[in-house]
């Protein structure tokens, strides 16, 4: 379904893609044409991104170009918004984008009298800044998985520098440190927010990944700039409770929730700073256990978060539930949803894939096989990972066999 809807000039539409049907089969009260989609025709980053994370392990690199081309070809608009709205250098991507690279009209606000140009009237998305950092991660991962150094050098790195420069030029405090405010923690925390977890985790991930690039890709002046900027970042927001440390949605925020996201877990997904293989694992697990919302369906990220943290029982149960989320009005079983959005819910299908992929394979400094796999389940797989590596194998009756093409070191995580 992603291949069928994602090889055109525009990214996959999360709310139905090209497979929408008469709305009465999704919501009987929606008396509209088959082109109707809940949440409209614009591109919402938090939804648009999810199918593309799932394409990495599948090796569907050609399908990722529509996403990259869409946003990179609109960089002039994103630079203009940064300069005119916030007197900042670099570029930022609005949460909701038209085909022209501007905010969606309904979110920016039709009635502008009495409002400054930088006042986005939809408060749900007014101060979300993580979009460029997530696109940066996807481009860096794509280049590592595919080996496409030309794309990295000519397209990705120039854009990433502009996304980083936006934070550097706008969010310095009196001590010369990065202090991100005004901001919000995606759509769930709006009030009194400082140093939101998605932006802070994104900056740590992207700057850390840039630091590891070889010298023939990253000029030394850029490397030194990123190294210094990394020293000026705030730490990941967290606090100590009786059971130990947990991540927070932001360093400072008011406990007034306006949506059902768990932004504190952006340290786990999409940025992978806490995962089953490192010292932040228990902080991630604790945070997952104490999360405010159970969100395993639609755009909810619980499934891949459980898998990334090595929570076998939770990931397996969510995978079962995800597979059962098909719409009874359609015979084709992959017509998921509508969940939060529309049928077919391409976010749900993509998160299902991400849950399964991360149960079978995760890649950090090494490639870990079966890091979150039930002992009594069999599986065969062919997946891609960093450093242009493909791994094909099967786990049957408790025995794992595999072959590798590429130089990524492989660890049998189920034997740890």
């Amino acid at each position: 379904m992603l291949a069928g809807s994602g090889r055109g000039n525009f990214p996959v539409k999360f709310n139905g893609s090209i497979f929408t049907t008469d709305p009465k089969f999704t919501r009987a009260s929606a008396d509209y044409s088959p082109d109707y989609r809940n949440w409209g025709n614009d591109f919402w980053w938090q939804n648009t991104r999810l199918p593309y994370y799932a394409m990495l392990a599948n090796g569907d690199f050609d399908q990722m170009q529509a996403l990259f081309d869409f946003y990179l070809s609109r960089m002039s608009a994103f630079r203009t918004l940064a300069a005119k709205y916030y007197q900042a250098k670099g570029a930022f991507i609005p949460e909701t984008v038209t085909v022209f690279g501007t905010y969606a009209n309904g979110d920016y606000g039709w009635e502008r009298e009495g409002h400054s140009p930088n006042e986005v009237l939809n408060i749900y998305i007014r101060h979300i800044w993580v979009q460029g950092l997530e696109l940066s991660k996807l481009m860096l991962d794509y280049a590592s998985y595919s080996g496409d150094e030309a794309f990295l050098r000519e397209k990705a790195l120039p854009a990433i520098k502009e996304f980083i420069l936006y934070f550097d030029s706008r969010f310095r405090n009196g001590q010369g440190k990065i202090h991100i405010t005004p901001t919000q923690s995606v759509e769930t925390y709006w009030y009194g927010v400082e140093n939101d977890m998605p932006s802070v985790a994104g900056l740590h991930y992207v700057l850390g990944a840039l630091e590891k690039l070889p010298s023939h890709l990253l000029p030394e002046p850029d490397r030194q700039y990123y190294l210094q900027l990394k020293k000026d970042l705030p730490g990941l927001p967290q606090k100590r409770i009786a059971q130990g440390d947990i991540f927070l949605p932001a360093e400072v925020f008011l406990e007034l929730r306006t949506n059902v996201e768990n932004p504190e877990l952006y340290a786990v997904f999409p940025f992978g700073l806490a995962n089953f293989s490192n010292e932040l694992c228990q902080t991630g697990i604790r945070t997952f256990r104490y999360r405010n919302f159970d969100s395993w369906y639609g755009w909810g990220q619980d499934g891949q978060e459980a898998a990334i943290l090595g929570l076998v029982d939770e990931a397996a149960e969510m995978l079962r539930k995800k597979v059962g989320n098909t719409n009874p009005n359609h015979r084709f079983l992959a017509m998921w949803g509508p969940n939060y959005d529309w049928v077919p819910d391409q976010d749900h299908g993509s998160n299902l894939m991400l849950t399964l992929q991360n149960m079978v394979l995760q890649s950090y400094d090494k490639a870990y096989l079966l890091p979150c796999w039930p002992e009594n389940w069999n599986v065969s797989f062919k997946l891609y990972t960093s450093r242009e590596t493909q791994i094909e194998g099967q786990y049957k009756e408790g025995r794992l066999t595999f072959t590798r093409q590429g130089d990524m070191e492989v660890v049998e995580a189920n034997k740890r």
Side-chain angles (χ1 to χ4, degrees), residues 73-94:
S73 66
R74 288 155 178 81
M75 285 295 288
S76 61
F78 304 149
R79 285 191 293 268
T80 299
L81 294 178
K84 289 189 175 294
Y85 285 7
Y86 305 115
Q87 295 73 55
K89 299 176 183 178
F92 85 94
I93 299 174

Side-chain angles (χ1 to χ4, degrees), residues 7-18:
R7 285 196 165 106
N9 292 329
F10 296 96
V12 174
K13 283 292 287 165
F14 66 96
N15 49 353
S17 67
I18 64 170

Side-chain angles (χ1 to χ4, degrees), residues 68 85 116 143 156 165 169 174 179 185 188 191 199 205 237 239 263 293 307 378 381:
F68 298 152
Y85 285 7
S116 62
L165 186 57
S169 64
H179 186 80
S185 212
T188 297
Y191 302 106
S199 294
Y205 178 88
K239 74 174 182 180
F293 304 105
N378 296 333
F381 57 89

Side-chain angles (χ1 to χ4, degrees), residues 284-398:
I285 290 174
R286 220 173 280 117
T287 306
F288 186 83
R289 302 276 194 226
Y290 283 90
R291 70 194 187 281
N292 288 308
F293 304 105
D294 292 338
S295 190
W296 57 266
Y297 55 90
W299 46 251
Q301 301 178 167
D302 282 8
Q304 56 262 44
E305 289 163 353
I308 290 168
L309 293 169
L311 300 175
V312 177
D313 293 341
E314 290 90 335
E317 179 59 24
M318 289 180 200
L319 188 61
R320 290 190 187 96
K321 292 193 291 187
K322 285 174 181 289
V323 171
N325 185 248
T326 190
N327 190 295
N329 292 332
H330 297 270
R331 284 177 290 179
F332 184 45
L333 293 178
M335 296 294 278
W336 318 107
N339 301 317
Y340 301 109
D341 299 312
W342 208 237
V343 172
D345 180 352
Q346 294 284 41
D347 283 351
H348 182 89
S350 299
N351 279 339
L352 188 160
M353 293 165 66
L354 280 166
T355 300
L356 181 57
Q357 290 168 355
N358 280 289
M359 291 172 71
V360 175
L361 172 66
Q362 293 180 43
S363 177
Y364 305 108
D365 56 330
K366 305 169 185 175
Y368 295 91
L369 287 179
L370 306 182
C372 188
W373 195 253
E375 290 184 0
N376 60 340
W377 285 16
N378 296 333
V379 63
S380 60
F381 57 89
K382 180 181 179 181
L383 294 170
Y384 292 72
T385 188
S386 298
R387 302 178 196 167
E388 303 174 73
T389 300
Q390 304 171 40
I391 305 173
E392 184 171 4
Q394 68 171 356
Y395 177 76
K396 187 174 183 180
E397 308 303 331

